[in-house]
Amino acid sequence: MNLVFYILRRLAISIPILLIGSFLVFVMVAGAGDPLAELRTQPNINQESIDAIAHELGLDKPLIPRYFDWLGGFVTGDWGISIAQGSAMEPVFPKIMDAFWVSIRLILGAEILAVILGVAVGLLAAVKQYSVVDYAATTLAFLFFSMPIFCVAIVLKIYAIDLNVVINNLGLNDIFGNPFLRTTSPESLESDGFWDFIIKYTGAFLLPTLSIMFISFAAYSRFQRSSMLETLNMDYVRTARAKGLTERRVILKHAFRNALIPTTTLFSVNFVTVVTGAVITERVFNWNGMGAVLVEAVNKNDPNVMMGWVVVISIAVIIANLIADLLYGILDPRIRVG
């Protein structure tokens, strides 16, 4: 029950933060320009028609009533419609959700790989300090740290294109797909074959996932190494060694668990960076995820889509921080959630 109350309390604290943040973003979006500016340039649309559209969308109201109209619709599932030219008044909710499920698979895959590899490499580098393994891990981490994510994505894409050419010359199909493969229907499996479908799906995921994973891996490995070295010098670790415990048991049973706490903190902070990296990576690999939705909404000054995008990402960040807080109590029994 304490855990349930803790989660509810954290969510209750997050609601005012989310409201304040959404209002500030709404003010900035409203001040970014006229959403109907492109419509006003159409010679076949008169001012009366434009005024009628603005009234129907509530754009002629003052800022505060417009915000509360948007907020009331948002909490009831009516996120408004996309008013950008060429969108055919598409509802925002399904548009955001379709893009979100594309992006979240990319983000989760990259983060899971980055955490596993980063923690493992950081642990090994700390245990074998100043060895070849430590120097190699440090070199790789600083290499990925120094490279912008769009640079990593472009380099991987160039090599993938060259590899596809080689594979095609061998009479085989491409492995690395550029656009995200949306269909998972039985018809597609039947037409391509199961293993062909798996290869295409994996190839479409592999390069964008690696692009994000490399940057996060560098941060996790350095944090884990630093935290592990600090933990290995603690008094309780020395006491465990003095009792005659094996080095393996000292590291895995006593030191490793506490050394994970700073890395858990980094996970919650790094989530925003990963989302930003996903936006850039999706543009490089032409994925139809949250990155494409955001860029299109900003370019066309589509306020409802921009607001939906920001709130969905904010909720995802809050959930990531809540997961990190819960992991604290698992890793360290002294940290109580009640």
Side-chain angles (χ1 to χ4, degrees), residues 16 76 90 127 159 195 198 236 241 269 276 280 304 312-313:
T76 57
E90 180 184 2
V127 173
Y159 279 108
W195 290 112
I198 293 297
Y236 72 90
R241 284 171 174 155
V269 175
T276 306
I280 299 172
N304 288 334
V312 168
I313 295 300

Side-chain angles (χ1 to χ4, degrees), residues 109-119 212-214 216-217 220-221:
E111 276 293 271
I112 291 172
L113 286 176
V115 169
I116 293 174
L117 293 178
V119 169
I212 300 174
M213 186 272 290
F214 284 144
S216 296
F217 159 79
Y220 289 132
S221 64

